[in-house]
Amino acid sequence: MTLLLFRALLLILFLYTSNAADPLGDLCNKGTKISSKISKNIDHLLSELVAGAPSPGYIATSTGNGQDKVYGLAQCRGDVSSDDCSGCLQDAAKEIRQRCPDQVDARIWYDYCFLRYNGENFIGKLDTSYAIFYFNVENVTDPEDFNKKLGSLIDKIRSQAVVPKNKGLGKGEISLSPFVTVYGLVQCTRDLAVIDCAQCLAIAVGNFPNFCNNRKGCRALYSNCYVRYELYPFFFPLDSTNSTSVSGNLVVKVYA
């Protein structure tokens, strides 16, 4: 797939972790404008998303009428608790209004959750026009074996994600050696059809060689799907038997 790279933002971080109050990224569509009526509808919509998503882990809804109608979606990572989901979405709702005060098309990504709203109905429509990649700057020592086993793991968890009962979530692990394990998680937003979920994950994984080739860890965040792998346990329940330390800075690339 040919990538049209419009924007690249490079940041160096010192830990591969993210504070709950610090989003992984956001997108404010500067080409959209907001009226006072739409602004009120967005506030009402955000209240509905924050209140309705934590228990099921997902909600898609709308508020308002006619040209003032606003559509919204909120989803948490499928392995986190409802309390963590709630806390993440509260942060997301507050932060997105601060970062995108005048836009009716806005999205924000956190480690535990994703939130989006728009004046146009995007629910159920695949969108891979914008993504955020996080990757560890350290390379693996045996790329051939690593990529073979990582590919096997990704294929396995992608197949889990497209099974309806799994609600777009797939996760697992594979051993590289007696002392090193690769952990992986993929997830699609629940509004997507199975074929669209599979396509979103395929696009995300297909871009790994461009951003994450031979890296010890990588995260791909799209508006409809999420893919991540690490050499340490990051999803719940945590694997207490693996004590691999978190090392290496990160570089973040954002493209639209």
Side-chain angles (χ1 to χ4, degrees), residues 125-185:
K125 300 176 182 178
L126 178 61
D127 182 355
T128 56
S129 62
Y130 186 89
I132 300 172
F133 278 82
Y134 276 71
F135 60 83
N136 194 306
V137 298
E138 291 191 354
N139 289 331
V140 296
T141 54
D142 187 350
E144 184 176 354
D145 183 60
F146 175 80
N147 288 323
K148 180 180 179 180
K149 291 183 177 178
L150 175 63
S152 177
L153 173 61
I154 294 295
D155 287 345
K156 176 183 176 182
I157 60 180
R158 281 167 60 186
S159 66
Q160 293 174 7
V162 296
V163 176
K165 69 176 182 178
N166 292 332
K167 300 178 181 179
L169 177 69
K171 61 178 182 174
E173 60 189 72
I174 190 169
S175 177
L176 288 178
S177 74
F179 306 103
V180 182
T181 300
V182 183
Y183 300 84
L185 182 147

Side-chain angles (χ1 to χ4, degrees), residues 44-242:
H44 180 72
L45 176 70
L46 289 174
S47 295
E48 288 191 22
L49 296 177
V50 171
S55 182
Y58 162 81
I59 186 174
T61 187
S62 63
T63 188
N65 298 291
Q67 295 182 341
D68 298 324
K69 192 170 186 177
V70 184
Y71 301 83
L73 179 150
Q75 180 163 316
C76 290
R77 222 174 66 193
D79 61 308
V80 304
S81 68
S82 58
D83 286 344
D84 285 337
C85 178
S86 178
C88 184
L89 289 174
Q90 288 178 44
D91 289 335
K94 179 181 179 181
E95 194 70 20
I96 198 170
R97 288 297 268 150
Q98 293 178 353
R99 294 183 176 226
C100 309
D102 302 317
Q103 289 76 43
V104 71
D105 177 9
R107 6 191 153 172
I108 192 165
W109 290 261
Y110 281 78
D111 193 22
Y112 286 177
C113 66
F114 169 71
L115 188 151
R116 178 183 183 184
Y117 56 80
N118 199 328
E120 297 182 4
N121 188 0
F122 62 89
I123 308 301
K125 300 176 182 178
L126 178 61
D127 182 355
T128 56
S129 62
Y130 186 89
I132 300 172
F133 278 82
Y134 276 71
F135 60 83
N136 194 306
V137 298
E138 291 191 354
N139 289 331
V140 296
T141 54
D142 187 350
E144 184 176 354
D145 183 60
F146 175 80
N147 288 323
K148 180 180 179 180
K149 291 183 177 178
L150 175 63
S152 177
L153 173 61
I154 294 295
D155 287 345
K156 176 183 176 182
I157 60 180
R158 281 167 60 186
S159 66
Q160 293 174 7
V162 296
V163 176
K165 69 176 182 178
N166 292 332
K167 300 178 181 179
L169 177 69
K171 61 178 182 174
E173 60 189 72
I174 190 169
S175 177
L176 288 178
S177 74
F179 306 103
V180 182
T181 300
V182 183
Y183 300 84
L185 182 147
V186 301
Q187 184 170 6
C188 294
T189 54
R190 292 196 218 169
D191 60 316
L192 284 190
V194 168
I195 190 171
D196 290 330
C197 173
Q199 183 178 351
C200 188
L201 293 175
I203 291 172
V205 173
N207 280 326
F208 272 18
N210 298 302
F211 299 102
C212 312
N213 198 33
N214 301 331
R215 303 296 187 177
K216 287 185 174 181
C218 183
R219 267 185 281 189
L221 299 93
Y222 285 78
S223 296
N224 285 121
C225 64
Y226 172 100
V227 181
R228 182 179 181 183
Y229 72 84
E230 304 287 356
L231 294 183
Y232 59 86
F234 65 90
F235 55 75
F236 300 103
L238 293 177
D239 180 2
S240 60
T241 63
N242 188 296

